[in-house]
Amino acid sequence: PYSLRVGQRLNLPALRKNTVSSAAVTKKIVPSSVKQQPVSVSSTQVAVNTVPKAKNFTGPVPKPLPRSASNFLRPVKGKVISAFGAKPGGIHNDGINIAAKKGTTVKAAENGVVVYAGSELKGFGQMLLVKHSDGWVTAYAHTDQLLVGRGQRVKRGQAIAKVGSTGNVSKPQLHFEIRKGSEAVNPTKLITR
């Protein structure tokens, strides 16, 4: 009942070692009247880039650490390619988008606790939400890789993600928001360089 195509990507979540077996498969065209035979597979050892996947904890998240400063740290260096505020076509950017090279480290803007880590929010790709004391929340979207998971405490300047182009963007960038309660605040007024 399962058929494979040449070049098809296979997801093997059960493998957690530093090496995995890779199979080279030769495409074989068999007429439909002929009974199909198993395809021969040759195995080789291939090193896998092992980057630890951040774990999301279930249940209530811990209380965030107290803030270390009154301002927020800029999470990544780069040019702001989309500013806070209204855009043509009735769109509103609740944060800023900062261009950066894919894989650039994204740093936590302030002490806090991760309350969301995932890609379920349409258009944002891989995203983190970090809750800070005094009702502040920061958002980091379009990331290529999340280095922390839900329920994990983070400190100001800690590496939390890698810049990417996930979601509805075509070039590497970080979408960064600062919120007080549910209200979006212009990050450029609150971040330090």
Side-chain angles (χ1 to χ4, degrees):
Y2 305 101
S3 60
L4 299 174
R5 297 182 315 275
V6 172
Q8 179 179 356
R9 177 173 260 181
L10 302 177
N11 182 11
L12 304 172
L15 297 174
R16 300 211 190 279
K17 294 182 181 179
N18 287 345
T19 60
V20 294
S21 292
S22 171
V25 179
T26 308
K27 185 174 181 178
K28 204 179 218 184
I29 301 173
V30 181
S32 59
S33 61
V34 177
K35 185 177 177 182
Q36 292 186 1
Q37 299 295 319
V39 177
S40 64
V41 176
S42 65
S43 246
T44 59
Q45 291 292 314
V46 177
V48 173
N49 183 8
T50 57
V51 177
K53 186 174 179 187
K55 288 187 177 182
N56 280 325
F57 297 100
T58 57
V61 295
K63 188 176 179 180
L65 298 168
R67 290 183 57 197
S68 64
S70 60
N71 59 7
F72 290 87
L73 183 68
R74 186 180 179 111
V76 70
K77 291 180 182 178
K79 180 182 176 185
V80 174
I81 56 174
S82 181
F84 179 86
K87 304 289 174 214
I91 298 170
H92 189 277
N93 190 354
D94 285 346
I96 57 174
N97 290 48
I98 306 167
K101 187 178 174 185
K102 183 176 179 176
T104 301
T105 299
V106 176
K107 296 178 180 176
E110 186 49 69
N111 295 341
V113 64
V114 179
V115 293
Y116 175 80
S119 59
E120 289 83 19
L121 299 173
K122 189 174 175 130
F124 288 102
Q126 293 283 341
M127 180 176 181
L128 288 172
L129 295 177
V130 178
K131 181 179 179 179
H132 309 281
S133 59
D134 303 323
W136 292 97
V137 174
T138 52
Y140 312 79
H142 305 309
T143 64
D144 184 54
Q145 181 184 4
L146 303 177
L147 304 177
V148 293
R150 182 184 181 277
Q152 187 173 339
R153 284 188 170 133
V154 296
K155 291 187 176 181
R156 181 183 179 106
Q158 178 182 338
I160 58 172
K162 298 285 186 180
V163 170
S165 55
T166 60
N168 64 357
V169 296
S170 58
K171 55 186 171 181
Q173 60 190 275
L174 176 72
H175 173 77
F176 176 64
E177 293 182 20
I178 298 177
R179 294 182 170 268
K180 177 70 172 173
S182 61
E183 184 180 336
V185 180
N186 186 347
T188 56
K189 296 179 178 181
L190 299 172
I191 58 176
T192 184
R193 302 230 178 246

